[in-house]
């Protein structure tokens, strides 16, 4: 660095530079968000020649201790000295983490505590990785620990894990990746869950399930999606890549009777839990289906949608976007975790005659270069000449 930028700050975390988790800690937090907004605007302009009509206020996050879900790596190659932490940038090495600055306070000390637990175990190599999450009730939070196992644990190792969970008032589950998680300990009777108080929803999850990584931001994120649905009276809504029903349940709760919401997701277990979540929260007008949405020939039970929400993985949703464009779905709400994929998909929409009506940045992962954005596309009637 010859001449430091005015936005350069001292990274607070001692692991900065080796840990692959945070790569922007040297960048002042509000400047990070402005930079990410510029990246998305520039990508949409360059890839799709689209400019949003309205850039809405960003959904902001506290800069530290926001993260409510994480996957920890375990390196048990050296006997008696297992390391639990995050992977180094582009390497298989694991950085031991004493105290993480971005994990929620209830989770921040767990990487090092779990390192101690794994060091005492007879067969630490049985552990593939460890999922951490946060379960919320109206007035308390509980850590959720899920061990992803390559083979079963001995009775002694199970007893060690259960004792660890009791001491820390944590959910502790074993997950073989095939069946639902089995719990060694639960600090309360209910399954772990996060809450969306604005919609009176409690969304139960299994430790390995996809849940948004920043529970505080997620509450505002869901609220923004629901605001953008804006059905005149009632209609048909598709929630593609719906996970546990994060958006679908809130949309169905918010809309008047007569609106039907269809959530579609590839993971069978999450679809089962989404259906259960609808039942437990007494939300009507919503259905969930298991389908692979990257399959261009995919059959859906309804032919026409007034609004489609989509929240695809980093690869984007090319097949689905082409189908929406061909079927002339009037409004698309696209939650993107990868600006380049959003740019590619937006170009298909622009060529089919969609305008970019609104855009908002979602500060899901401060201190990291991950960019999350929400875009609303509306169908205008003329198709653009393809270039
Ligand atoms: C970014 S997450 C969004 C989940 C949900 N919208 C939420 O807010 O919690 C993407 C979801 O897409 C699902 N998924 C990935 N590939 C898929 C595919 N080919 N077809 C359908 N769903 C898929 C994942 O299992 C995951 O639940």
């Amino acid at each position: 660095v010859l001449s430091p930028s005015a936005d350069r700050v001292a990274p607070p975390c001692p692991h900065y530079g080796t840990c692959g988790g945070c790569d922007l800690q040297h960048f002042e937090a509000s400047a990070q968000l402005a930079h990410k907004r510029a990246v998305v605007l520039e990508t949409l302009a360059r890839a799709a020649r689209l400019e949003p009509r309205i850039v809405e206020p960003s959904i902001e996050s506290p800069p530290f201790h926001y993260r409510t879900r994480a996957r920890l790596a375990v390196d048990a190659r050296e006997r008696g000295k297992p390391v639990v932490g995050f992977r180094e940038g582009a390497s298989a090495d694991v950085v031991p983490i004493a105290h993480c600055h971005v994990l929620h306070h209830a989770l921040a000390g767990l990487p090092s505590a779990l390192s101690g637990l794994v060091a005492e175990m007879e067969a630490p190599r049985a552990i593939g990785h460890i999922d951490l999450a946060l379960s919320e009730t109206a007035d308390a939070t509980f850590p959720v620990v899920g061990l992803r196992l390559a083979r079963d644990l001995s009775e002694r190792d199970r007893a060690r894990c259960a004792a660890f969970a009791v001491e820390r008032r944590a959910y502790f589950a074993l997950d073989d990746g095939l069946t639902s998680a089995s719990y060694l300990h639960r600090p309360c009777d209910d399954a772990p869950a996060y809450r969306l108080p604005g919609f009176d929803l409690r969304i139960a999850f299994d430790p390995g399930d996809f849940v948004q990584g920043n529970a505080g931001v997620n509450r505002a994120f869901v609220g923004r999606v629901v605001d953008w649905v804006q059905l005149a009276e009632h209609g048909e809504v598709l929630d593609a890549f719906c996970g546990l029903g994060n958006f679908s349940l809130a949309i169905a709760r918010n809309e008047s009777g007569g609106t039907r919401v269809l959530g579609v997701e590839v993971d069978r277990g999450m679809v089962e839990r989404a259906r259960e979540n609808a039942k437990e929260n007494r939300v009507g007008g919503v259905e969930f289906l298991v389908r692979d949405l990257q399959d261009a020939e995919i059959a859906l039970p309804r032919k026409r949608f007034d609004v489609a929400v989509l929240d695809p993985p980093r690869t984007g949703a090319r097949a689905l976007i082409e189908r929406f464009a061909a079927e002339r779905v009037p409004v698309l709400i696209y939650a993107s975790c990868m600006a380049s994929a959003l740019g590619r998909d937006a170009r298909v929409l622009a060529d089919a005659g969609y305008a970019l009506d609104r855009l908002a940045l979602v500060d899901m992962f401060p201190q990291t270069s991950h960019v999350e954005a929400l875009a609303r596309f509306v169908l205008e009637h003329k198709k653009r000449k393809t270039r």
Side-chain angles (χ1 to χ4, degrees), residues 24-106:
L24 289 188
Q25 276 192 18
H26 61 284
F27 200 178
E28 191 280 323
S30 61
Q32 285 180 30
L33 189 56
H35 163 73
K36 291 180 186 181
R37 190 184 307 116
V39 166
V40 174
L41 288 170
E42 201 183 298
T43 306
L44 285 165
R46 207 186 44 238
R49 284 209 243 139
L50 279 174
E51 229 182 273
R53 289 185 179 136
I54 302 172
V55 179
E56 286 202 356
S58 302
I59 296 174
E60 294 191 12
S61 167
F64 293 103
H65 294 300
Y66 60 82
R67 199 168 170 139
T68 46
R69 183 180 71 109
R71 180 159 287 177
L72 300 176
V74 179
D75 179 354
R77 285 174 298 186
E78 203 177 331
R79 233 188 146 66
K81 285 195 192 151
V83 182
V84 177
F86 294 111
R87 288 200 189 280
E88 270 184 32
S91 118
D93 290 343
V94 178
V95 182
I97 304 288
H99 179 90
C100 174
H101 283 65
V102 294
L103 280 177
H104 185 280
H105 288 291

Side-chain angles (χ1 to χ4, degrees), residues 57-360:
S58 302
I59 296 174
E60 294 191 12
S61 167
F64 293 103
H65 294 300
Y66 60 82
R67 199 168 170 139
T68 46
R69 183 180 71 109
R71 180 159 287 177
L72 300 176
V74 179
D75 179 354
R77 285 174 298 186
E78 203 177 331
R79 233 188 146 66
K81 285 195 192 151
V83 182
V84 177
F86 294 111
R87 288 200 189 280
E88 270 184 32
S91 118
D93 290 343
V94 178
V95 182
I97 304 288
H99 179 90
C100 174
H101 283 65
V102 294
L103 280 177
H104 185 280
H105 288 291
L107 308 177
L110 278 175
S112 117
L114 284 162
S115 232
L117 170 69
V118 174
E120 288 172 6
M121 289 173 67
E122 289 167 347
R125 297 177 81 160
I127 306 170
H129 60 246
I130 304 178
D131 286 308
L132 296 184
L134 190 73
S135 181
E136 304 171 314
T137 64
D139 42 26
T141 57
F142 301 95
V144 181
V145 179
L147 296 197
R148 179 63 174 263
L149 296 174
R151 55 179 189 276
D152 211 359
L153 294 185
S154 66
E155 279 311 311
R156 278 171 66 182
D157 279 351
R158 284 170 169 258
R160 286 186 177 103
C161 293
F164 177 94
V166 170
E167 190 189 321
R168 291 177 180 269
R169 301 194 71 212
Y171 288 86
F172 204 114
L174 305 181
D175 172 14
D176 62 7
L178 301 170
T179 49
S180 295
S182 74
Y183 284 90
L184 294 177
H185 179 70
R186 295 182 192 219
C188 38
D189 291 340
D190 296 326
Y194 65 91
R195 297 175 62 252
L196 297 173
F199 299 96
D200 192 20
L201 289 171
R202 181 184 177 281
I203 301 194
F205 61 87
D206 256 14
D209 285 347
F210 179 90
V211 295
Q212 300 286 355
N214 183 331
V217 160
N218 185 48
R219 291 178 178 187
F221 190 24
V222 173
R224 192 71 66 93
V225 169
V226 168
D227 284 350
W228 284 10
V229 169
Q230 286 178 11
L231 289 172
E233 277 178 41
H234 50 74
E236 299 282 344
V237 180
L238 174 68
D239 178 16
F241 308 93
C242 70
L244 297 160
N246 190 40
F247 300 132
S248 352
L249 293 168
I251 295 166
R253 173 77 98 213
N254 191 57
E255 290 297 330
S256 57
T259 288
R260 295 196 304 171
V261 183
L262 176 67
V264 183
E265 158 67 48
V266 77
D267 185 298
R268 189 168 294 280
M270 277 200 279
V271 168
E272 278 164 19
R273 286 181 281 288
R275 289 177 181 145
E276 204 51 38
N277 279 322
K279 219 192 290 166
E280 289 291 315
N281 286 283
R282 295 170 197 270
V283 181
V286 61
E287 262 181 75
F288 294 97
L289 272 189
V290 183
R291 290 284 187 279
D292 179 353
L293 291 166
Q294 306 293 15
D295 172 357
E297 304 302 316
I298 184 82
L300 292 176
R302 289 179 210 153
K303 289 276 161 279
R304 190 189 63 82
F305 293 99
D306 299 293
V307 180
V309 177
L310 67 158
D311 185 9
R314 289 184 191 175
T315 43
R318 183 65 183 250
L320 197 60
I321 285 287
E322 283 176 351
R323 178 175 175 154
F324 289 154
E327 290 174 358
R328 322 275 307 145
V329 178
V331 177
L332 302 178
I333 301 173
Y334 191 135
S336 160
C337 59
M338 182 55 93
S340 53
L342 173 65
R344 283 195 299 275
D345 289 344
R347 177 169 177 159
V348 175
L349 294 175
D351 288 343
Y354 283 80
L356 179 54
D357 176 46
R358 282 147 202 255
L359 181 80

